Amino acid sequence: MRLFSLLPCLFLAAFLKCVSACGSEWCYTGCPTAPSEWHSISGSFCGNKRQSPINITCINVKKDDHLGNFTFVNFTSKHVITKLTNTGHTVKYHLMENEVEVSGGGLNGTYTSLQFHFHWGYSDHHQGSEHLINGHRYPMEVHIVSLKKGKNVTQAVADSEGIAALGFFIDVTDDEDMSGPWDNLTSYITCEKDSDVNITAPISIHDLIGNVDLTKYFRYMGSLTTPLCNEAVVWTVFEEPIKISKKLIERFPTKTGYTSVYRPPQPLNGRTVYASPAVHIDCDWCYDNHCEFSPTHWHMLPGSFCDGNRQSPVDIVTKNTVENKDLGDFVYTKFDDKHVIKYIINTGHAVKCVLKEDMVEVSEGGLGHNYSTLQFHFHWGTTSDNSTGSEHTVDSKRYQMEMHIVNKRKDLTLEEAVKTPNGLAVLAFFMEAAESHKSKGRSGDSEETSHTSDEDPWKKLTSYLPAIQNISSHVEVKKEISIDDLLGDVNRHEYYRYNGSLTTPSCNEAVVWTVFKEPVKVDPSLMKMFPAQAGYSDAFRPLQSHNSRKIYKTSAAPAPGPAILVLLLAFYCSFSANFHL
Ligand SMILES: [Zn+2]
Ligand SMILES: [Zn+2]
């Protein structure tokens, strides 16, 4: 049935294709003058610097208190939508002349609305809005086009604010409430090109917009999104989509016989996108689902690499690790200095200890470069006794916490380092409950705590946590704590090595990872202070795919043990005795 009704349109589309190939007609796809060539059309502005559409992202949006409410004239009138035309590029609904007006909303004067038209895609998997929000494309977009009051089209396109376009996204809903007016509107769509169809059904613009919040919108200076792309448009893009059923969205490609009628996003070229005060758009990411960007959406953050193919953390499958003799011991500079921590900050995602600049260093350990140590921070689970919150896992075992010591190649700036495959080196230490405290812990938390010495470096460090309960708050570190103190006597000879990424957005693939095999032992009551005082739990990224990456491990050759030391000492003593050294 549907195929049958589509046939005349396909036939027409084939005919149109011939026309466009023969003439200088532009198109969206499948002709010589596709969007990438629109700039070459005679008299075109399509290659200029304030083009539309754009990708509206949290990093290029600024709030503007002047973007107040709109005033719409005759948006509720049921007799202003007069006819529709299938232009071959869109379906355009004409409005009664000089009846519909838009003003307010930060616009400079009053605009008279001429028409509205649509942009659509192909199917569920090929959306067709022109503007994008944080890289997200909606199924469709409708543009209400208005000219500055008193100007004709020729005058309006010559004025940098001559045209006001209101863009509404259209999204799919299962709710059939909106289907009435949209069902009516779309029933008129014809596949016949350039023939007008009169609209007799009483439909108002307001009926179509439904309950979209008209106080939430973006504003920027742009262009028409079809040739000649005149840079005369004050754009308003509403944040909330209009919601209609899938079957009505499908009518656009089906009844017109053409698909994917949208222009790709254009460079911003330094323009600012303003947002009305009611808009909520920010680059907030989180580890759970209570924010705009949960881990599965991190890749949609502007400039993000989170869907790359060398992401971290990973599960270390020990039977697949490859021994590498180049992975020797590290050389640590100022790890024993008790005054290197500048301050501790609660970033809202982690507790981070920022080090004094250009003091602490790491080299050797198969790194091939000298690195300066910038900071160390922690990943954790919850306050429960059996909580686990490390980022890496070993044979699927997740440890209680994980400490990351972050180092930057000395010969690079931070900006360069995050773009260089080995620009950063992170030393990761698992953290596990100290055995002795575990057994004592049975008699209760209070006693457990009492066994922690005030000289315990972890007690000193965590004593600062109550001072940084507020997100973004920080506290200067005055107590004497060295990194060596915190690491204690953990084995630093045996570790895993692989190439990965930062484990927080933008997930730059710039990290040489070192994951030490032996966990650092920490009093469990002190570890609980991280989630308890920072105010959030499960601060770790889910595991990422290996994507055929190798994980190396240090060679199994034992370091000089106590027996060898005794022999050496014995030899030294007899040697010195003999030679009176
Ligand atoms: Zn448009
Ligand atoms: Zn980390």
Side-chain angles (χ1 to χ4, degrees):
M1 182 65 190
R2 177 172 292 165
L3 182 67
F4 188 72
S5 64
L6 192 59
L7 272 176
C9 282
L10 286 175
F11 179 76
L12 266 176
F15 171 72
L16 285 174
K17 216 170 245 175
C18 168
V19 170
S20 50
C22 306
S24 61
E25 185 74 51
W26 58 270
C27 68
Y28 288 105
T29 52
C31 83
T33 320
S36 59
E37 296 302 320
W38 287 359
H39 65 90
S40 63
I41 296 170
S42 164
S44 150
F45 301 91
C46 303
N48 287 19
K49 294 264 191 262
R50 59 167 264 198
Q51 290 291 296
S52 296
I54 56 164
N55 178 18
I56 298 169
T57 72
C58 50
I59 46 170
N60 57 37
V61 168
K62 273 207 182 81
K63 283 277 168 74
D64 184 352
D65 291 338
H66 298 101
L67 297 178
N69 292 354
F70 283 96
T71 304
F72 301 109
V73 174
N74 277 333
F75 266 48
T76 52
S77 164
K78 291 189 185 287
H79 307 285
V80 292
I81 305 173
T82 56
K83 58 180 183 180
L84 86 76
T85 315
N86 176 348
T87 68
H89 300 299
T90 186
V91 283
K92 187 191 283 185
Y93 290 80
H94 301 262
L95 299 172
M96 203 174 277
E97 266 178 57
N98 300 318
E99 285 293 317
V100 185
E101 286 182 0
V102 179
S103 61
L107 292 174
N108 192 5
T110 301
Y111 288 79
T112 308
S113 306
L114 286 189
Q115 46 101 342
F116 60 89
H117 62 266
F118 295 87
H119 298 272
W120 61 84
Y122 186 71
S123 67
D124 281 359
H125 306 293
H126 192 145
Q127 319 272 43
S129 72
E130 292 214 295
H131 288 92
L132 309 176
I133 300 283
N134 284 327
H136 175 75
R137 194 185 292 283
Y138 283 93
M140 286 185 66
E141 187 169 331
V142 54
H143 292 156
I144 303 176
V145 180
S146 312
L147 304 185
K148 205 156 207 180
K149 196 170 181 175
K151 296 205 180 213
N152 61 30
V153 175
T154 315
Q155 291 166 331
V157 295
D159 177 344
S160 68
E161 295 183 28
I163 299 172
L166 307 182
F168 289 90
F169 295 115
I170 299 176
D171 205 354
V172 182
T173 179
D174 296 330
D175 185 356
E176 297 284 317
D177 275 2
M178 286 291 292
S179 59
W182 282 94
D183 193 11
N184 265 333
L185 189 84
T186 52
S187 67
Y188 289 94
I189 300 175
T190 171
C191 69
E192 249 178 279
K193 196 196 156 195
D194 286 336
S195 67
D196 294 344
V197 180
N198 288 325
I199 312 271
T200 49
I203 313 163
S204 74
I205 300 172
H206 182 263
D207 288 340
L208 299 171
I209 294 171
N211 52 10
V212 167
D213 186 338
L214 298 170
T215 68
K216 295 180 175 174
Y217 60 89
F218 302 100
R219 165 65 42 77
Y220 78 98
M221 303 303 279
S223 72
L224 298 176
T225 66
T226 54
L228 303 166
C229 310
N230 305 67
E231 297 188 324
V233 183
V234 183
W235 273 99
T236 302
V237 179
F238 290 90
E239 184 186 23
E240 290 186 359
I242 295 168
K243 295 192 170 180
I244 66 176
S245 73
K246 192 175 157 189
K247 131 189 141 212
L248 296 176
I249 286 175
E250 282 172 351
R251 280 189 183 169
F252 288 86
T254 309
K255 295 187 88 172
T256 58
Y258 47 86
T259 58
S260 305
V261 285
Y262 60 88
R263 186 187 192 192
Q266 302 298 304
L268 207 54
N269 293 320
R271 282 175 288 173
T272 303
V273 180
Y274 297 94
S276 65
V279 166
H280 173 83
I281 182 169
D282 51 35
C283 293
D284 264 0
W285 58 269
C286 58
Y287 290 111
D288 54 27
N289 293 315
H290 298 105
C291 72
E292 186 95 8
F293 295 98
S294 58
T296 50
H297 291 96
W298 285 3
H299 67 277
M300 284 160 62
L301 280 158
S304 155
F305 300 92
C306 301
D307 59 353
N309 54 17
R310 55 169 273 195
Q311 289 292 296
S312 297
V314 293
D315 179 41
I316 297 165
V317 182
T318 53
K319 71 171 167 45
N320 296 340
T321 55
V322 180
E323 209 172 280
N324 183 340
K325 291 208 158 43
D326 296 334
L327 300 180
D329 284 355
F330 290 90
V331 172
Y332 306 94
T333 306
K334 300 249 183 210
F335 266 49
D336 59 348
D337 190 313
K338 291 179 184 293
H339 305 277
V340 291
I341 306 174
K342 196 153 70 174
Y343 61 89
I344 304 185
I345 181 168
N346 179 353
T347 67
H349 303 295
V351 164
K352 181 159 86 179
C353 302
V354 177
L355 305 183
K356 290 175 185 161
E357 275 159 51
D358 302 323
M359 285 184 76
V360 187
E361 288 181 18
V362 172
S363 59
E364 301 297 329
L367 289 175
H369 289 274
N370 290 346
Y371 287 80
S372 52
T373 309
L374 306 177
Q375 45 104 340
F376 59 89
H377 62 264
F378 301 93
H379 298 272
W380 59 77
T382 66
T383 53
S384 87
D385 279 338
N386 47 13
S387 143
T388 56
S390 70
E391 293 214 293
H392 290 89
T393 56
V394 178
D395 294 329
S396 300
K397 175 190 162 76
R398 197 179 290 284
Y399 289 84
Q400 199 154 348
M401 283 182 67
E402 188 168 329
M403 173 183 183
H404 288 160
I405 305 176
V406 180
N407 311 278
K408 171 191 72 73
R409 243 173 72 177
K410 274 185 83 173
D411 56 330
L412 302 177
T413 64
L414 186 58
E415 204 183 15
E416 290 165 343
V418 296
K419 292 178 191 154
T420 308
N422 62 357
L424 300 170
V426 180
L427 308 185
F429 289 92
F430 295 119
M431 292 163 61
E432 197 174 58
E435 288 300 328
S436 55
H437 293 296
K438 232 183 209 170
S439 52
K440 282 168 193 160
R442 284 195 198 117
S443 52
D445 273 11
S446 53
E447 201 198 327
E448 192 179 355
T449 311
S450 70
H451 284 276
T452 319
S453 152
D454 284 344
E455 287 309 302
D456 181 338
W458 288 99
K459 183 155 193 178
K460 287 192 205 171
L461 189 79
T462 51
S463 72
Y464 288 102
L465 296 182
I468 54 168
Q469 288 181 345
N470 293 331
I471 286 166
S472 297
S473 61
H474 70 278
V475 58
E476 207 179 322
V477 172
K478 292 271 172 64
K479 293 183 184 176
E480 297 196 322
I481 312 166
S482 74
I483 301 173
D484 278 345
D485 289 343
L486 294 168
L487 297 180
D489 56 2
V490 72
N491 177 343
R492 294 192 220 170
H493 308 293
E494 295 184 7
Y495 57 85
Y496 303 103
R497 164 66 45 80
Y498 78 99
N499 290 324
S501 73
L502 295 176
T503 64
T504 55
S506 304
C507 311
N508 301 63
E509 299 189 323
V511 182
V512 178
W513 276 95
T514 302
V515 181
F516 289 87
K517 289 186 183 177
E518 191 181 295
V520 176
K521 305 284 185 188
V522 183
D523 186 284
S525 66
L526 298 179
M527 280 196 280
K528 281 181 191 175
M529 285 181 72
F530 286 89
Q533 301 295 332
Y536 42 90
S537 300
D538 293 325
F540 60 91
R541 186 188 191 192
L543 292 170
Q544 304 296 305
S545 312
H546 284 88
N547 294 321
S548 74
R549 276 175 292 173
K550 274 205 181 100
I551 299 184
Y552 297 95
K553 64 178 169 188
T554 43
S555 140
I564 294 171
L565 268 177
V566 169
L567 276 174
L568 278 172
L569 274 173
F571 175 75
Y572 177 80
C573 291
S574 64
F575 185 83
S576 51
N578 286 345
F579 291 92
H580 307 283
L581 288 170

